[in-house]
Amino acid sequence: MALNLGVDTGGTYTDAVIVRDETEVIATAKSLTTRHDLAEGIGSAIKAVIEAADIGPHDISLAALSTTLATNALVENQGERVALIYIGFTDSDLDRSGLREALKGDPCLIMNGGHNHDGSESTPLDLAALQVFLDSQRTLVTGFAIASRFATRNSAHEREVAAMVSDMTDLPVSCSHQLSAKLNGPKRALTALLNARLIGTIDRLIAKAHTVLEDLGINAPLMVVRGDGALMSAQAARAHPIETILSGPAASLVGARWLTGVDTALVSDIGGTTTDVALLRNGRPAIDPSGAHVGAFQTMVEAVAMRTTGLGGDSQVHVMTEGLQGGLNLGPKRVVPVSLMATYDPESILRELDLQTRSEAPSEHDGRFVRAVGGAMQPTGLSDREAALMDRIADTVQPVGQIARTRIDHRSLTQLINRGFVQISGVTPSDAAHVLGLLDTWHTEAARLALMSLARRRQGNGQRLAQNPTDMAKFIVDRLTAQTMSSLVEAAFQEDANAFDSPPEALAKHELFHAGLNQHRGLVALSAHLNVSVVGLGASAPTYYPAVGERLGCKMLLPEHAGVANAIGAVVGRVTLRKSGTVTSPSDGCYVAHLIQGPITFSEPEEALRALEAELRQTVAEQAKNSGAVDIQTTVSRDLQTAQIESRSMFVQATLTAEATGRPQITRQP
C-alpha cells in the first residue's frame, strides 16, 4: 500500500491531501500560506492532514508539491533584481518580445559574440567587457540570465559566459539554451530572465518544504509539478523554476480528470490571485505550442494551454469613475482581504475602519492597510525613501494613507510591494463573501465596515456605489461572476477560432452573444450557451461558480474535493521529460546535427538524424532517472521539412523530440 502526500502552496492557502494507491482520497487539510515563512503554512497543512488520515509520518511513500508562487509572481510583476547578459544582439532587440519592459530597469550587458544559423561563430566573445560588468553588478543582483544569438544551434558562448559568471560571482545562472530548444533569441532571453528572477522564490519554497518534511520525520522523495502537469525532481525545479509556472493550474487539470473522469470539459480553477481556464480533450490537457503565456509575458516554457487572468477571491476591487456609468473591476493584483488583515491586529483595524466610515468624505485609501512581510526575507538594496517607509511601517499594521503621504511615497510603496517586502490589504471578493454569509473564515465585522466605507465612493454620475454593505457585496460578487464568464467564454471561442474572423476577446464581449445568453426574443430570436461542461475547482468555486454555470447555461461540475484538486493532481502525475534538437542542411550534401557540445557535420541525413536521436534518448532518460523516475520508457518523434526541387524531394530541416516517461520512485513501506 502506498500513501502519497500532495501539497499545493497557493497565494492564500496551502492545501494538503493523502491519496492511497492513487485511487482514494483519505484525508484533506488547509492552512493559510504564510509568505513571511512558508514553512509555517506547509507544516500546518501537513500536520493536519496526517492527523486527519490517522497515519504516521513514516507511512508516507511520496511527497509531491505544486505551487502558484511562480505564476503569481509573473502575474503581479514581482521578482528579484537580476542581470541579463545578451550576447550577439543589439539594443533594438530588447524591444522584441517585451524584453525591455520585463527588465524593469534591471542591469543589462549587450556584448559581442554569438553564432550564425548554421552554428558557426559569428563574433568572438568580448570577455573583457563581461569582466567589467560582473565587477560592477555582482553585489547588486541575486542572479544572472544569459542569452546568446543562435544558442540553440551552438551553446558554446552561453556555456563559456556562464562558467565565468559562476567563477566570479557564485550566483545562480540561467542559460536560455537549457530552457528551450527553439529559435527566437529575444523570447529565449525573456524566458531566461524570468527564470533567474524566480530562482530565489522557488528555492526558498523547496528548502522550506524539505525542512518541514525532515522535521516531521517524513522520509520520502519530494517531487514538484511542472507547468505541463508532469513531475520533476526538487533539484531540477530549483535549477529551472520557470518550468513551475502554471504548476498549480497544471496539477488542477490532472486533479480534475482524476476527480471527475470527464473526457472533455473546460476546467476553471479559481484561487486567491488568478483564475486559470484550460480545456481537457479526450482526458488530456493540451500543450501550448507557443509556450506558456502568463500575465504580460509570453515565455518559451512548455506548459498546458491555459488562459490565466488576474482574477481570484483576493483580487483588488477597483472603483471606475470614468464616464457617467462607472462601476467596479477586479484584479489583476492580489491584496490581503481586509477580513484577513484584521486577524493580525483587530482592535487597531476596527478602530480605523470605524473612523473611515464616519469621515466627512470617503478616500481612495479607505479600507487599505499595509504590513511588513518580515521573516527570513529581509529587505536589501532599499532607497532612502523606501527605507524610511519600512521604518514607518515597523512591525505593525498601518493605514496606507498614513504611511504613504505623497506621490513619491506611493511610488516607493509600490516598489516595496513588487519586491515582496510588504503586503497591502484592501476590499476583495472574499470580504464580500463574508458580508453575504458565504464565508466566515476571518473577521466579518472588519469586512462589513470596509464595504460600508467603499459603498460611499461615488460613480461617474455622482451616485454612491451602493446604499449599504450588503448591496456593495452583491455588486462585487456579480462583477466576479461577469469576469469569470468572460474568461470561460474567451477560452471557448479560442478553441473555436477557426470558425470566426474576430478575436476571442471581441466575440466574448459582442452584444449579440450576450443577447443570446439572455435568450432575447423579438423579431429576432437569439439563444446562446456554453456547449461544454465546466469543472469548477478551488476552495471558493462552490461559493461563486453555480451562478456562472446558470448564466452560461452549461453543466457545472463541482467535485467533492474541488478545493484541493491541485494537491491531488500533484500526487497522481507521472515523471515526463522532453527534449528537442535539430538537423539542418546549410548546403547540398551537408547535414548538421546540433548536439549539446556543438554542431557535427555528416554527409548523409540519416546519419545526422541517428546521432541526434541517440543523444536525445540518452539525455531524457538520464534526466528522468535523476528526476526520480522508474520504469522509464522513451520515444522519439521526427518532424521532417522537405522541399520539392525539379521533382526531387530535398531535405531542409528536421526537428526531433524525445520523451521519457516513468513512475515516480516511492519509498516502500514495510
Side-chain angles (χ1 to χ4, degrees), residues 127-377:
L127 296 180
L130 176 61
Q131 182 168 356
V132 172
F133 182 73
L134 295 178
D135 282 336
S136 67
Q137 297 297 330
R138 58 185 173 184
T139 61
L140 303 177
V141 298
T142 62
F144 289 84
I146 302 171
S148 178
R149 190 167 179 266
F150 286 115
T152 55
R153 297 295 166 85
N154 191 335
S155 61
H157 283 186
E158 283 195 7
R159 288 185 281 112
E160 186 174 351
V161 169
M164 186 169 173
V165 171
S166 296
D167 289 342
M168 290 187 62
T169 70
D170 199 31
L171 291 172
V173 180
S174 296
C175 291
S176 76
H177 77 275
Q178 295 175 334
L179 299 170
S180 176
K182 297 180 180 179
L183 299 177
N184 192 328
K187 191 180 289 187
R188 276 190 294 105
L190 172 66
T191 304
L193 175 70
L194 299 177
N195 188 72
R197 193 169 281 159
L198 293 170
I199 282 178
T201 299
I202 299 302
D203 189 70
R204 283 189 294 273
L205 170 64
I206 293 175
K208 295 294 186 182
H210 270 301
T211 299
V212 168
L213 294 177
E214 291 175 0
D215 290 347
L216 292 176
I218 298 174
N219 182 25
L222 176 62
M223 308 295 288
V224 179
V225 181
R226 282 206 323 248
D228 60 358
L231 297 175
M232 65 195 300
S233 67
Q235 182 180 2
R238 279 176 144 161
H240 298 154
I242 189 98
E243 293 185 8
T244 70
I245 64 173
L246 299 181
S247 164
S252 74
L253 283 173
V254 178
R257 165 67 174 171
W258 191 87
L259 285 168
T260 65
V262 67
D263 283 329
T264 301
L266 281 174
V267 179
S268 184
D269 185 5
I270 181 171
T273 308
T274 62
T275 291
D276 308 301
V277 179
L279 180 67
L280 273 176
R281 192 189 296 276
N282 299 323
R284 294 173 61 90
I287 302 299
D288 191 340
S290 62
H293 193 158
V294 182
F297 303 111
Q298 175 69 59
T299 73
M300 298 187 84
V301 177
E302 193 171 75
V304 294
M306 183 168 292
R307 299 178 73 92
T308 297
T309 57
L311 175 68
D314 299 344
S315 289
Q316 183 175 357
V317 175
H318 298 278
V319 178
M320 298 184 296
T321 57
E322 296 80 7
L324 294 178
Q325 188 65 29
L328 297 177
N329 195 47
L330 307 180
K333 291 271 188 178
R334 172 192 182 270
V335 293
V336 178
V338 177
S339 52
L340 174 55
M341 187 69 89
T343 63
Y344 300 120
D345 189 356
E347 184 177 343
S348 297
I349 289 182
L350 288 176
R351 182 173 58 250
E352 179 63 28
L353 288 171
D354 185 62
L355 289 173
Q356 291 174 1
T357 62
R358 297 172 186 274
S359 64
E360 183 175 342
S363 165
E364 62 178 324
H365 301 307
D366 286 352
R368 292 171 57 79
F369 297 86
V370 60
R371 172 177 179 258
V373 173
M377 186 178 175

